[in-house]
Amino acid sequence: MRRSRGLAAALALSLAGTGTVIGLGLVPQAAAVTPPVAFTADPLSTWQPNGVVWALAEAGGQVFAGGTFSAVRPPEGAGGSERPAVNFVALDAATGAPTSCELSFTVGGGTATVRALTLSPDEKTLYAGGYFGAVNGTPVSSLVAIDVATCTVKQGFRPAFAATVRALAVTDDTVYAAGDFLSVAGRQRERFAAVDATDGALKPFVANADEPGRAIEVTPDGANVVLGGDFFTVNGTGTHALAVVNATSGALTKAYPGFIETNSVVKDIATDATGFYTANEGTGGGVFDGRIALNLSDFNQRWRDTCLGATQAVLPYQNVLYSASHAHDCSSVGEYPDGQRHHLLAEPTSGTNKLGWAPDTNDGIGEGIGPRVMTVGSKGGVQYLWVGGEFTTVNGAAQQSLTRFASTGDTGAPSVPVASAVSFKPGEVQVRWRTGLDLDDSALTYKIYRNGSATPIATVTANSLFFRRPQASWTDTTVSPGQSYTYRVTATDAAGNASALSGTASVTVPTSVDAYPNAVRADGAQLFWRYDESALPFAADSSAGGNQSGVHLGAPALRQTPAAVTGASTAIGFNGTDTQVYGDERQNVGSAYSIETWFKTNTTRGGKLFGFGNNQSRGSNQYDKHIYMTNDGRLVYGVYTGATRTITTGGSDRYNDNKWHHVVATQGPGGMTLYVDGAQKGTLGVTTHENFAGYWHAGGDSLGGWPDRPTSEYWAGQLDETAVYPTVLSAAQVQNHHTLASAPADSVVQVTAAEDTYANAGAPDTNYGTSGSLAVRGTSLYASYLRFNLPAAPAGTVLKAATLSVKTSTMSGAGTTDTVSVVPVTGPWTEAGTTYNNRPGLGGPALGSFAAIPDGSAVHTAGLTTGTVAAALGGSYGLALSSTGTDALWLWSSEAQANEGTPQLTLTFGAP
């Protein structure tokens, strides 16, 4: 314990009833971080010890750190020199620099250490416990009182502890101690004791335990003391790791037999106005490593967080429980699976759902535990959360044993979104992105920019956590069939820190419904991975719900062609060793479902195409509802019901022929069915599967224990159009999907200008062919000329739409208030030879036009008369941009680096 009863009361809850919302939602107003989180995740400059910090306490803007170290040094990259600090240092809460208070804790034999620091309720006395025999040369015995004002040992306080003191709690008149000792002042006191706060005289409090005490805390009313440690009995009564005793006598108030696993211990206890909280550490299998909240009214459990990864410290502050641990598996409370260690977490004092606060350390030196202790200090109206331990990095940067976070000054920007865009039907584009990561903001604002505009076309709010980043999306319904558009997205936190723009997501709006994806969506897919992304690590969900996105693992090969479905879609390639896509959202699978994918391979090592497992980036230890290939090219669909139940394709069917194939597996009240290439390949009257929460995997996951297990659990080949449905697809639906995949689809061809230039009446003999700019005005005249080498229509298709895209330059006033017409050129011209004096003639009627174009560099599009452009297919075609007004339009030419591929014609071909 590091807080006095008075300080604990001062930290009483003030945000009753608040919590966090997971998923999409509104952003709270006017907050530097997302409430109820009170601190940023940005570490502040702090001096650092050269060993382990075990204890922290704060008084009057000064933070005291104790541990096992010999010196402190300036923050990384700062000036100054290392200075001696023997197991203790006092630091300014606001600057992180050492104060004038210097104390040296030493011992004649062995290694001295400070394990506990606690202030008296009036904050005038600092009590320090540990293993030491002198402080600044004054003889003491593992417990000492320090006058805070003078930074000197209080000579009148002289208790005698025979072994290490590990934790302290203080009231107005009593100091309670926990540790390894068996006697105090020569009298039996086993692991827990109480002494007078003034002179250290032993009190009659007796709470003898059979194993070490590690934590102690006084309830806010002063009537009871909560004990924590390794013990199995207190005063001869069975109670493992936790007990509540009378504050005067030490008699048991409440025992906890069987409440905490026998191979787990309590490392820390903290209280607030409503309850007390335990930090727990286990060893071996079947352990409890998490946190428990108990009520003060009856000392019974309020909630239990069963994350795995030993918890060393807990700190309630303003309705939030901050914890120090190395939590690596929170799947038991519906959060992230076993994997990366997370050392600093926050959750409401009312429940176990993690909040959007997750700065991180490494495991560090010593036992490799990471952070071990926390306290809150205040100075100048700013609160500081201090963290100590044995770590050597904070948020990936070098910093040893001490760090701190403030209640203001959020400077960390969210991660850059990875965006994509898709259009399945005329008049609609869906822009999607994986929600961002911000270590102290779960609620972020996303701005969507279209065609390079500096003004967002839309703003969306969405929630995310470091382990739960659902897809967010926005649908643009102001688009025109046949036209191409670009989109970019930024993320902004509550403090106004903004990410950089995402990469550009490009899309062409079809002139008719895209049949295959429309059927998948209409049939109710709740996950639909089309694998059309051009950048890692986000696999967009194209289902109507649009929140079951995936994450690329191991950098699978993107945009593989030809894809399984006719049209502009692409496939994804897996290496058969370590690449896959896993679902971003933990879920349960109902009693009815269908899984579907297209695949292509020539592997002879087999592998899992698609399935459900309880982990993400690591191999699952629960896995079924999957389709895998045997070494000889057969397909297996299986579920687990206590035994493996499978359907396997038979006969001479082999599907590792390097051709695209379609597979669908269904299960429901009628049992299991497997389809390949639209035909039923087998059924099984099994209606159940293993019921567990997990994630969908494409391209690989565990297969141990399954029949005909292939050499490889990972898929070497391509996948396309993977979908999951919460219903059983009928045979007719399966056959329809297979048929639609090969149906003719619109194709899009984009043609960049082969030549472009402009004429200027003010410089009649000047050629501007390589200037990088184009200009249009009626008076005095600027006219721009564009030449495109048009392809012929693909066999069996006709031109269905044509659009022209141009991009305004960054010049001030580059836009125009006038209408700019797109007209055919009637005379000969070349980019290198055209001037105002020899400019070509212009024909009519206009093929299209741009209405008034606003200032700001952005891409603008205009639809052109389809029949006129169709007549020019297969040859060179010249267009001109002209105007009758006096407001000049300035554009980038094809030579300019910032043109984004403009000027450009987008041609859409389809069936007649």
Side-chain angles (χ1 to χ4, degrees), residues 188-537:
Q188 182 184 23
R189 292 291 189 275
E190 298 179 3
R191 282 87 184 199
F192 296 99
V195 298
D196 187 274
T198 302
D199 61 10
L202 187 64
K203 290 201 167 189
F205 174 92
V206 176
N208 290 332
D210 61 331
E211 295 290 343
R214 297 183 181 273
I216 193 164
E217 181 71 271
V218 182
T219 58
D221 61 7
N224 292 283
V225 178
V226 186
L227 312 179
D230 302 9
F231 51 82
F232 290 87
T233 64
V234 173
N235 290 340
T237 299
T239 179
H240 173 53
L242 183 66
V244 181
V245 299
N246 180 270
T248 301
S249 67
L252 268 171
T253 302
K254 185 174 180 64
Y256 293 89
F259 183 67
I260 294 175
E261 283 74 357
T262 58
N263 51 351
S264 296
V265 302
V266 170
K267 297 296 291 289
D268 187 30
I269 298 171
T271 66
D272 63 15
T274 66
F276 63 94
Y277 309 86
T278 68
N280 304 272
E281 177 184 79
T283 303
V287 302
F288 173 56
D289 267 348
R291 294 154 288 281
I292 303 174
L294 301 102
N295 300 317
L296 286 174
S297 57
D298 56 10
F299 303 126
N300 289 329
Q301 179 174 294
R302 183 190 307 164
W303 53 257
R304 180 179 291 223
D305 183 340
T306 53
C307 290
L308 293 175
T311 307
Q312 304 298 312
V314 285
L315 174 63
Y317 181 74
Q318 293 186 352
N319 265 19
V320 173
L321 185 69
Y322 298 89
S323 60
S325 70
H326 56 262
H328 57 84
D329 184 353
C330 287
S331 57
S332 62
V333 291
E335 295 172 337
Y336 55 89
D338 191 18
Q340 178 183 345
R341 291 184 169 194
H342 299 277
H343 297 84
L344 295 170
L345 297 173
E347 58 203 319
T349 53
S350 58
T352 65
N353 54 296
K354 303 302 179 294
L355 301 174
W357 185 81
D360 205 12
T361 73
N362 64 355
D363 291 343
I365 59 177
E367 297 177 44
I369 293 293
R372 288 185 174 273
V373 63
M374 298 182 293
T375 196
V376 173
S378 178
K379 189 171 183 180
V382 177
Q383 286 70 50
Y384 299 91
L385 174 61
W386 285 70
V387 179
E390 57 197 70
F391 49 85
T392 57
T393 66
V394 179
N395 288 354
Q399 176 69 23
Q400 184 171 347
S401 301
L402 268 179
T403 190
R404 61 201 176 98
F405 307 93
S407 60
T408 186
D410 182 9
T411 60
S415 61
V416 179
V418 179
S420 67
V422 67
S423 182
F424 299 121
K425 59 185 179 181
E428 184 176 294
V429 168
Q430 184 189 49
V431 185
R432 304 88 57 88
W433 61 93
R434 188 186 190 202
T435 46
L437 175 60
D438 189 292
L439 297 180
D440 47 32
D441 283 283
S442 56
L444 297 175
T445 299
Y446 299 89
K447 296 178 181 179
I448 302 100
Y449 299 85
R450 188 173 78 176
N451 289 347
S453 173
T455 302
I457 191 173
T459 299
V460 173
T461 60
N463 283 7
S464 58
L465 296 169
F466 66 91
F467 61 90
R468 184 177 294 136
R469 297 172 61 184
Q471 177 175 296
S473 66
W474 171 77
T475 300
D476 187 353
T477 58
T478 64
V479 295
S480 299
Q483 293 197 30
S484 297
Y485 297 86
T486 63
Y487 299 88
R488 303 180 79 179
V489 182
T490 64
T492 305
D493 67 14
N497 300 304
S499 75
L501 283 163
S502 71
T504 300
S506 302
V507 64
T508 299
V509 182
T511 57
S512 59
V513 172
D514 195 346
Y516 183 88
N518 186 66
V520 172
R521 287 158 60 94
D523 286 341
Q526 65 180 10
L527 176 155
F528 187 16
W529 295 343
R530 302 205 72 199
Y531 309 118
D532 293 339
E533 294 75 35
S534 58
L536 301 168

Side-chain angles (χ1 to χ4, degrees), residues 506-883:
S506 302
V507 64
T508 299
V509 182
T511 57
S512 59
V513 172
D514 195 346
Y516 183 88
N518 186 66
V520 172
R521 287 158 60 94
D523 286 341
Q526 65 180 10
L527 176 155
F528 187 16
W529 295 343
R530 302 205 72 199
Y531 309 118
D532 293 339
E533 294 75 35
S534 58
L536 301 168
F538 171 58
D541 177 16
S542 293
S543 70
N547 63 359
Q548 298 291 333
S549 54
V551 178
H552 301 120
L553 180 66
L558 305 182
R559 301 197 64 77
Q560 301 293 289
T561 57
V565 175
T566 303
S569 183
T570 61
I572 191 169
F574 299 98
N575 63 12
T577 303
D578 58 3
T579 57
Q580 62 165 291
V581 177
Y582 62 79
D584 222 0
E585 188 76 8
R586 191 172 189 259
Q587 59 189 277
N588 290 90
V589 179
S591 58
Y593 65 89
S594 300
I595 54 180
E596 173 182 39
T597 195
W598 288 79
F599 66 93
K600 177 182 177 182
T601 188
N602 60 3
T603 185
T604 58
R605 301 178 68 248
K608 182 180 288 193
L609 284 72
F610 191 73
F612 194 72
N614 70 332
N615 213 316
Q616 288 179 302
S617 59
R618 296 186 179 187
S620 299
N621 54 39
Q622 289 179 285
Y623 40 93
D624 75 336
K625 299 175 281 294
H626 52 206
I627 301 167
Y628 61 92
M629 179 176 279
T630 63
N631 286 348
D632 61 0
R634 292 172 294 140
L635 291 177
V636 182
Y637 162 42
V639 299
Y640 185 75
T641 62
T644 59
R645 307 300 301 273
T646 59
I647 302 172
T648 304
T649 58
S652 59
D653 291 336
R654 297 294 185 269
Y655 300 102
N656 54 348
D657 56 3
N658 215 31
K659 297 179 181 179
W660 280 111
H661 296 283
H662 179 230
V663 58
V664 178
T666 70
Q667 186 180 29
M672 300 165 60
T673 306
L674 176 65
Y675 302 87
V676 182
D677 293 335
Q680 187 184 106
K681 293 296 182 179
T683 62
L684 190 65
V686 175
T687 60
T688 61
H689 53 78
E690 189 172 11
N691 184 18
F692 62 92
Y695 308 84
W696 291 107
H697 293 255
D701 196 13
S702 304
L703 277 171
W706 285 81
D708 292 317
R709 181 183 178 185
T711 302
S712 175
E713 295 182 337
Y714 285 85
W715 175 248
Q718 296 180 352
L719 295 181
D720 199 10
E721 309 294 336
T722 300
V724 177
Y725 306 79
T727 58
V728 173
L729 290 179
S730 67
Q733 287 173 311
V734 172
Q735 178 61 56
N736 183 48
H737 291 190
H738 181 254
T739 300
L740 287 176
S742 57
D746 289 353
S747 61
V748 176
V749 177
Q750 294 177 323
V751 183
T752 302
E755 292 187 279
D756 54 6
T757 187
Y758 75 98
N760 178 3
D765 294 321
T766 302
N767 172 260
Y768 295 94
T770 59
S771 69
S773 296
L774 300 172
V776 183
R777 184 172 61 195
T779 307
S780 58
L781 186 136
Y782 296 140
S784 291
Y785 306 95
L786 318 171
R787 189 190 308 280
F788 297 91
N789 295 324
L790 301 183
T797 69
V798 297
L799 183 68
K800 301 181 72 174
T803 61
L804 173 66
S805 300
V806 295
K807 185 179 182 182
T808 45
S809 75
T810 53
M811 179 187 302
S812 177
T816 181
T817 58
D818 300 324
T819 296
V820 174
S821 297
V822 184
V823 298
V825 176
T826 60
W829 65 280
T830 63
E831 178 182 272
T834 297
T835 67
Y836 175 80
N837 283 337
N838 66 6
R839 68 190 186 279
L842 305 182
L847 304 178
S849 63
F850 296 89
I853 293 177
D855 290 342
S857 183
V859 176
H860 299 274
T861 60
L864 305 183
T865 303
T866 305
T868 304
V869 178
L873 292 175
S876 177
Y877 191 50
L879 297 173
L881 302 178
S882 67
S883 170

Side-chain angles (χ1 to χ4, degrees), residues 84-110:
V86 183
N87 302 313
F88 177 90
V89 64
L91 302 131
D92 186 283
T95 68
T99 69
S100 59
C101 178
E102 297 183 1
L103 299 171
S104 178
F105 287 73
T106 57
V107 68

